[in-house]
């Protein structure tokens, strides 16, 4: 039992470290993408971190099997290089028993992966979709900052300041393009005050109400200009209505089980696949981690990573093929797991020297001649 705890500590600590590193790499890429949306006024800065947090389980569901596999190679490879594995085998620990310990560690990762794939990730993705829909209802005026232009090109908005008590916008400038009779005409509106008015009881109807201003409509350089002075001017702002959340990533696993939709069935097999992959990778990782000190701990890392990439690549292709019904739905992605299950069995037999022992038992015949 002490040996199992020792091996589990080595592998799980490495798994946590590799998962954290890969997660930070993915999050850094997503942050740059979201910052661009914040700069364009399509997302509030506070919402950025909420959305990232809700997407973390979806990132981990793919990262966790990869991190476990790489950690197994690194941890066991170190034990071989430092001759600790040789000491274990000399002490009576068989490779079969070592495989049992490894599958015990893989069982913990498998249960964690199942919880993330079947329950946590779909729930978080559903919440992310809900919040995204609420964020889409916000207009550019919800993201305005005093003294700063928002927008780009001929579509830009500027507010000098906001009143402290009422929250009115003061000294507005709005540049836009209006379409009349299939002709686009630049417009500029200046107003002393402005307010965003919403009517939740009327399906979220909302208006931008401007006070004491003037509106210019026409193409620069031409004499065909319209100038309108107003005391009160209301502009209707189109709303993005909330719709049903249909993204397969946000659907509960029970809903996927009862569905006949190819996309939902493919999503179900994808979730199952990210769980089944763990014990298969555990056996492959155990078998390929065996190196001698002269080879170095990274000697078999390249073929192991190639197998890992091929496995994931086939799962991704299989998911797409199921969605497009290139592969019959009843086959799912079990054929991919079957192929790599056989690879895992073969590598373990090589690791356990099954073929070498069989070759050693073959009778050796020497040809001779009689005088």
């Amino acid at each position: 039992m002490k040996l199992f705890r020792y091996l589990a500590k080595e592998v799980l600590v490495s798994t946590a470290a590799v998962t954290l590193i890969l997660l930070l790499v993915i999050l850094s890429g997503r942050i740059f993408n979201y910052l661009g949306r914040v700069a364009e006024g399509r997302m509030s800065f506070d919402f950025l971190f909420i959305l990232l947090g809700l997407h973390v389980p979806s990132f981990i569901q793919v990262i966790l099997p990869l991190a476990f596999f790489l950690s197994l190679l690194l941890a066991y490879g170190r034990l071989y290089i430092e001759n600790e594995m040789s000491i274990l085998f000399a002490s009576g620990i068989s490779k079969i028993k070592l495989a049992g310990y490894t599958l015990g560690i893989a069982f913990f990762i498998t249960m964690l992966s199942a919880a993330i794939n079947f329950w946590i990730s779909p729930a978080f993705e559903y919440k992310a979709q809900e919040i995204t829909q609420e964020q889409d209802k916000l207009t550019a005026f919800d993201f305005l900052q005093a003294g700063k232009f928002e927008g780009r090109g001929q579509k830009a908005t500027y507010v000098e300041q906001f009143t402290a008590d009422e929250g009115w916008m003061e000294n507005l400038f709005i540049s836009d393009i209006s379409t009349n009779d299939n002709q686009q005409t630049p417009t500029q509106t200046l107003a002393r005050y402005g307010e965003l008015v919403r009517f939740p009881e009327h399906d979220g109807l909302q208006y931008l109400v401007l006070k004491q201003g003037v509106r210019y409509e026409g193409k620069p350089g031409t004499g065909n200009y319209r100038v309108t002075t107003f005391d009160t001017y209301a502009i209707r702002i189109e709303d993005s209505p909330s719709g049903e959340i249909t993204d397969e990533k946000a659907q509960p696993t029970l809903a996927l089980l009862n569905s006949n939709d190819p996309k939902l069935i493919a999503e179900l097999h994808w979730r199952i696949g990210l769980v089944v992959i763990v014990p298969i990778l555990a056996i492959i990782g155990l078998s390929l981690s065996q190196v001698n000190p002269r080879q170095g701990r990274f000697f078999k890392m390249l073929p192991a990573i190639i197998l890992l990439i091929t496995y994931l690549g086939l799962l991704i292709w299989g998911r797409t093929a199921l969605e497009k019904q290139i592969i019959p739905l009843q086959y799912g992605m079990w054929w991919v797991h079957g192929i790599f299950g056989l690879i895992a069995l073969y590598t373990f037999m090589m690791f356990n020297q099954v073929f070498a022992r069989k070759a050693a038992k073959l009778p050796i015949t020497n040809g001779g001649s009689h005088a």
Side-chain angles (χ1 to χ4, degrees):
M1 200 62 188
K2 289 183 179 180
L3 176 59
F4 175 75
R5 288 198 297 267
Y6 174 69
L7 294 175
K9 179 182 177 182
E10 289 288 322
V11 175
L12 295 180
V13 170
S14 297
T15 300
V18 174
T19 300
L20 180 60
I21 292 172
L22 294 178
L23 182 62
L24 290 176
V25 171
I26 293 177
L27 288 178
S28 62
R30 286 300 183 97
I31 285 177
F32 284 115
N33 179 275
Y34 291 151
L35 284 176
R37 297 174 62 181
V38 171
E40 293 174 0
R42 296 160 53 198
M43 180 189 297
S44 63
F45 189 76
D46 295 338
F47 177 71
L48 183 153
F49 296 100
I50 296 175
L51 189 62
L52 279 177
L54 291 173
H55 283 317
V56 164
S58 295
F59 300 150
I60 292 180
Q61 69 177 163
V62 179
I63 290 173
L64 188 60
L66 312 184
F68 172 67
F69 181 66
L70 294 176
S71 300
L72 196 64
L73 291 170
L74 293 173
Y76 281 13
R78 184 189 66 80
L79 295 179
Y80 278 107
I81 294 300
E82 297 179 0
N83 294 316
E84 292 187 39
M85 282 295 188
S86 300
I87 296 173
L88 291 179
F89 295 146
S91 301
I93 301 297
S94 66
K95 293 183 177 180
I96 298 293
K97 194 169 186 178
L98 180 61
Y101 288 154
T102 304
L103 288 176
I105 302 170
F107 177 78
F108 174 78
I109 300 294
T110 302
M111 292 298 100
L112 179 60
S113 179
I116 294 173
N117 279 277
F118 297 146
W119 294 286
I120 299 175
S121 179
F124 276 58
E125 283 295 321
Y126 189 88
K127 187 64 177 178
Q129 293 288 333
E130 282 187 331
I131 296 178
T132 300
Q133 287 190 352
E134 292 298 321
Q135 190 77 6
D136 290 340
K137 291 182 179 180
L138 300 178
T139 67
F141 296 95
D142 293 293
F143 302 103
L144 284 177
Q145 298 180 18
K148 180 181 178 181
F149 277 92
E150 297 289 345
R152 60 176 59 183
Q154 291 185 323
K155 294 187 176 183
T157 306
Y158 175 85
V159 174
E160 184 177 20
Q161 63 180 356
F162 294 89
T163 58
D165 298 327
E166 297 86 356
W168 280 76
M169 296 174 276
E170 290 189 343
N171 297 327
L172 288 86
F173 168 78
I174 303 172
S175 176
D176 202 355
I177 298 176
S178 63
T179 303
N180 294 317
D181 298 330
N182 296 325
Q183 292 184 351
Q184 293 185 338
T185 304
T187 63
Q188 292 81 37
T189 306
L190 293 90
R192 183 74 178 89
Y193 299 102
E195 181 185 22
L196 195 63
V197 180
R198 288 188 172 93
F199 300 93
E201 65 275 9
H202 297 289
D203 298 327
L205 191 64
Q206 51 189 348
Y207 287 89
L208 175 66
V209 179
L210 303 176
K211 298 279 189 178
Q212 303 176 18
V214 60
R215 175 182 172 88
Y216 302 93
E217 185 174 356
K219 294 183 179 180
T222 65
N224 185 17
Y225 245 88
R226 179 189 299 176
V227 180
T228 306
T229 303
F230 58 84
D231 182 66
T232 301
Y233 180 63
I235 304 173
R236 181 175 177 178
I237 300 176
E238 296 296 331
D239 186 22
S240 300
S242 298
E244 183 181 359
I245 297 176
T246 58
D247 189 354
E248 57 270 15
K249 294 181 181 179
Q251 301 304 313
T253 303
L254 289 178
L256 302 183
L257 288 169
N258 299 322
S259 175
N260 294 321
D261 188 342
K263 285 189 175 182
L264 298 184
I265 293 175
E267 174 66 20
L268 175 63
H269 282 277
W270 173 256
R271 294 182 190 180
I272 295 173
L274 292 178
V275 176
V276 176
I277 194 176
V278 176
I280 296 176
L281 288 179
I283 296 300
I284 296 176
L286 167 68
S287 305
L288 296 183
S289 64
Q290 184 179 22
V291 293
N292 61 55
R294 292 183 179 179
Q295 292 174 333
R297 61 193 299 185
F298 302 107
F299 179 73
K300 295 184 179 179
M301 186 70 75
L302 180 59
I305 292 177
I306 291 175
L307 281 176
L308 175 63
I309 293 174
T310 305
Y311 199 167
L312 281 176
L314 284 176
L315 286 178
I316 294 172
W317 181 86
R319 179 180 181 177
T320 304
L322 281 179
E323 290 179 357
K324 297 180 179 179
Q325 300 188 51
I326 299 175
I327 297 176
L329 296 178
Q330 60 268 26
Y331 291 167
M333 292 191 288
W334 295 110
W335 58 276
V336 181
H337 303 300
I339 292 173
F340 280 86
L342 293 175
I343 293 175
L345 178 61
Y346 175 78
T347 57
F348 181 73
M349 293 176 70
M350 292 288 292
F351 168 70
N352 206 32
Q353 299 178 335
V354 173
F355 301 113
R357 289 199 298 269
K358 285 185 178 181
K361 292 179 181 180
L362 290 177
I364 300 175
T365 57
N366 294 322
S369 60
H370 296 280

